[in-house]
Structure formats: structure tokens, C-alpha cells
Amino acid sequence: MVKALNNKPYPIRHYVKIMLFISIFALVVDLVISFASIFIVKQQSTRYLQDTANLYIRQINHDFSYINHYMGWTLANDESVKMMDTPGTDYVDYIKSNERMHKRFNELQKNYGQEYNFFFYLKDQDFFQNYAPMSLSYAEFRDLKEQIVTLTDYQKRIRNLLLELEPDSGSRQVLRNQHRALS
């Protein structure tokens, strides 16, 4: 008789409670897995976007570094610039130097795109020119020339004022030496 009591079926309410418990447990596990998946995918997407942005930023910085180096080297060492900057240069030599500069910067613009404009300014000759195909209107070009001339004059005045300062402290002396190195 004891055996018969142990095999006695449970009431339906008991089975409903077990099914409800299993369903709620499965729902909670599903929610945890879903939120974890969403969080992981969001992190991966963010990391992918950051990596892509960093790649573009590094490329842009590399391009600007190369352009700055190229421009600086050209201004400091190129014979065409020296010839154009020398007062009394023969007109034919001046035009040939100008054409060589135009070709150099045109090649640089071909490598980096039409977004870049390369301007050349010689104060003593009052010479300002864009060495790349023009993407500015004439009014914008005139305004840019005026702005560059003004900034160049302003920088020269600041440099002269800094050189005239008496070094009464170590920081001014360092600043003065740095400006001499830049000149």
C-alpha cells in the first residue's frame, strides 16, 4: 500500500507551477543572454568605429606631416624659390622657376586631391600665387591674399618685438632664443 501512495499522480496545479517556474527561468536566462549579446555587439561596433576613425585620423595626420615637410623643404632648399626670391632675377629665369614650382605643387596636389591649394608668397616682390588648379573664386582669392599678407606682417612685427625685449628672466631668454632659431 505504501507503494501505491508514492506513485500517486500530482494535481494539475503542481504541474502548472513547475511549468511556470521553468518558463520564467527560461525567460530570465533569455533576457540575460539578449542583453549580454546587445552589450557585446555595441562594444564591438564602437571599437570598430573608433578603429576606423583612428585609421583616417592617422592617415590625415601623415598626409599633413608630409605636406608640411615638403613645403618646408621646398621653401628652405629649392633653387627655384631662391631664384624667385633674389632681387633683380632675370625675367626668363623667374618665369622658368615659377613654372618649376607650379609643376612641383601640381604633382603634390595630384597625390593628395583637389581639396588642397598651395599658395606662395614673396613679400619683397609682392608676389602671391596659387600653385594648384584654382578652387576659389577671385573674390575669395583676394580676401585670402589680404589675410595672409596681414598675418605675415603681424608675425614679423611680433618677432621683432620679441627680439627687442630685454632678457630679465630665464623664460624670456629661452623665448628669445627660440625665435632666433625660427628666423
Side-chain angles (χ1 to χ4, degrees), residues 140-181:
E140 292 171 330
F141 178 78
R142 252 191 353 243
D143 292 343
L144 181 65
K145 176 185 176 184
E146 183 178 313
Q147 186 179 12
I148 289 174
V149 168
T150 302
L151 288 173
T152 304
D153 290 341
Y154 181 71
Q155 285 177 342
K156 188 174 184 179
R157 278 187 272 151
I158 288 175
R159 198 174 287 142
N160 288 339
L161 284 173
L162 287 173
L163 291 175
E164 291 174 6
L165 288 175
E166 287 296 320
D168 60 354
S169 71
S171 62
R172 282 190 181 167
Q173 183 66 37
V174 170
L175 183 61
R176 197 168 167 208
N177 289 338
Q178 286 174 345
H179 255 74
R180 283 187 182 155

Side-chain angles (χ1 to χ4, degrees), residues 74 78-86 89-105 120 122 127 129 131:
T74 300
D78 192 88
E79 290 300 321
S80 299
V81 173
K82 291 177 183 176
M83 185 166 295
M84 291 171 68
D85 197 26
T86 304
T89 300
D90 185 36
Y91 181 73
V92 174
D93 292 335
Y94 192 87
I95 294 298
K96 286 181 182 178
S97 297
N98 191 14
E99 287 175 3
R100 282 193 298 269
M101 292 295 295
H102 187 274
K103 287 178 185 175
R104 289 183 67 119
F105 288 114
F120 187 68
L122 294 171
F127 180 77
Q129 184 174 3
Y131 276 114

Side-chain angles (χ1 to χ4, degrees), residues 29-43:
V29 168
D30 185 47
L31 284 173
V32 168
I33 291 172
S34 296
F35 283 126
S37 297
I38 290 170
F39 181 73
I40 290 169
V41 167
K42 186 177 177 182
Q43 274 186 330

